[in-house]
Amino acid sequence: MKERMPNSSALMKQEFLKKWIKGLQIYSSFKKEMTIFERKKAIKLSADVAIASTRNASTHWSRALMSDVSTDDANHAAKIVVAQISGRKVEKYSSSKGLMMTCSNKILRRSRVASRCRRTRGVGTSVKARSIARKVVKNRTRVLKSLVPGGQEMDGVCLIKETLDYIASLRVQVDVMRHLAAAAERLDPPQRSIL
Amino acid sequence: MSSRRSSRSRQSGAARISDDQIADLVSKLQQLIPEIRNSRRRSDKVSASKVLQETCNYIRSLHREVDDLSDRLSELLDSTDSDSAQAAIIRSLLM
């Protein structure tokens, strides 16, 4: 996995912004007049595709996201956006061609490392407490899998690596969107046109 | 940090993950999550379940923020005559 250097964050933001705008332009060319709701979906979807494409299909989550968008038959414009921005035809996401395929479920067992630390306080943790802790970790892992695109296909270390990358990308996305919204609000103080 | 498992990890064809790798990744995760980074006192005392919980919360809050920002932006970009203002903003952000 590519190590993310601090100074590449600015480059990523630029790349994201350009691709995001490109996506929005594609949408506008499809539909001149959009309702606020349609525009919101266009904005969000373009942003998601843009941030996923900055990973160049090198991560599971970005591939899964692109695939989800482009296999949504109801949304024709979205497919074009994905194709244009990623520069390639996006196949249905399947984990069988994964880069990080064989990850074991060791994260669940390794979580006992953490509970082992607690044992040094004197009283050993009971078997029951440990199994409860394992269940909690298992449930929470399941939730995490539902939050990360393509998470269901991931296991153990994959999941953590993908989560790290996904969170870092989400932060870039939020950062740029926040700045754009703030700047636009300053330039265009709320005088909303009546639809 | 002990690396006693690393020799074992090279034996099998599949990627055997060492303790160190996992600890390293978890610590990276801890550093990314503001909740944990700000509140933790001893670095190795955060449990896996807490890390997972805070990670999920953080991702959810990021998703919400993307959604809110999309709402705001869709309202802002609403009027068609703000084209020049948009262009100015975009240009200033790209330079």
Side-chain angles (χ1 to χ4, degrees):
Chain A
M1 192 174 83
K2 274 188 276 186
E3 196 69 88
R4 214 175 280 240
M5 304 290 194
N7 52 14
S8 74
S9 150
L11 285 172
M12 243 195 46
K13 288 183 184 177
Q14 283 196 2
E15 193 189 338
F16 163 69
L17 185 56
K18 285 182 197 168
K19 290 182 167 172
W20 182 28
I21 290 166
K22 192 171 171 188
L24 285 172
Q25 286 169 348
I26 294 174
Y27 258 101
S28 308
S29 69
F30 262 83
K31 256 197 146 185
K32 271 288 158 184
E33 302 292 328
M34 284 193 253
T35 65
I36 286 199
F37 180 66
E38 283 171 334
R39 181 172 282 106
K40 182 222 167 141
K41 277 177 60 179
I43 288 174
K44 184 152 191 278
L45 193 136
S46 306
D48 286 342
V49 170
I51 197 65
S53 85
T54 64
R55 302 317 284 132
N56 269 324
S58 63
T59 56
H60 278 232
W61 73 262
S62 59
R63 289 202 297 276
L65 197 154
M66 297 286 236
S67 161
D68 283 345
V69 169
S70 62
T71 52
D72 178 11
D73 287 320
N75 202 337
H76 186 58
K79 282 196 230 180
I80 311 282
V81 169
V82 171
Q84 293 277 340
I85 296 204
S86 68
R88 65 169 86 87
K89 188 169 192 314
V90 178
E91 304 296 333
K92 177 113 181 76
Y93 173 72
S94 81
S95 67
S96 57
K97 312 173 193 175
L99 301 161
M100 301 173 257
M101 240 210 73
T102 43
C103 297
S104 63
N105 231 332
K106 288 204 173 138
I107 182 62
L108 293 179
R109 277 189 262 144
R110 291 293 184 264
S111 77
R112 276 186 250 159
V113 172
S115 34
R116 242 181 265 148
C117 290
R118 270 184 248 126
R119 248 187 255 162
T120 60
R121 284 190 207 150
V123 183
T125 27
S126 68
V127 174
K128 192 158 191 192
R130 263 180 276 150
S131 85
I132 290 175
R134 272 202 298 283
K135 279 210 187 91
V136 169
V137 168
K138 200 165 184 178
N139 282 336
R140 297 210 172 136
T141 307
R142 198 176 46 222
V143 173
L144 183 59
K145 283 185 180 188
S146 72
L147 288 172
V148 176
Q152 307 300 340
E153 320 284 331
M154 297 175 210
D155 244 346
V157 172
C158 288
L159 185 58
I160 306 183
K161 283 185 177 172
E162 291 281 327
T163 303
L164 283 169
D165 196 81
Y166 184 52
I167 289 182
S169 302
L170 277 177
R171 278 151 67 119
V172 166
Q173 185 184 18
V174 164
D175 216 15
V176 175
M177 288 175 84
R178 200 188 290 146
H179 278 97
L180 187 60
E185 263 161 11
R186 272 199 295 276
L187 230 74
D188 239 341
Q191 334 161 29
R192 306 213 174 89
S193 65
I194 312 212
L195 277 173
Chain B
M1 272 201 213
S2 75
S3 53
R4 61 198 138 92
R5 301 254 175 121
S6 52
S7 56
R8 236 185 272 164
S9 71
R10 263 174 248 142
Q11 276 175 7
S12 59
R16 286 286 289 274
I17 314 296
S18 68
D19 273 337
D20 296 345
Q21 243 183 313
I22 294 197
D24 180 51
L25 288 172
V26 171
S27 77
K28 283 201 175 114
L29 202 51
Q30 283 178 27
Q31 287 176 8
L32 265 188
I33 318 281
E35 283 296 313
I36 300 182
R37 192 181 56 221
N38 298 334
S39 71
R40 69 166 201 222
R41 278 160 260 142
R42 303 270 301 272
S43 53
D44 30 274
K45 292 291 183 183
V46 186
S47 70
S49 63
K50 175 118 176 103
V51 170
L52 283 170
Q53 181 185 39
E54 293 304 330
T55 304
C56 294
N57 289 344
Y58 189 48
I59 294 183
R60 270 192 284 250
S61 77
L62 287 171
H63 282 171
R64 263 200 309 273
E65 225 185 320
V66 169
D67 207 64
D68 287 344
L69 287 164
S70 304
D71 272 327
R72 270 166 70 191
L73 282 166
S74 66
E75 290 177 0
L76 284 163
L77 300 179
D78 201 25
S79 53
T80 48
D81 54 41
S82 64
D83 274 12
S84 56
Q86 286 173 43
I89 295 168
I90 289 158
R91 242 179 278 125
S92 68
L93 280 171
L94 284 173
M95 302 304 178

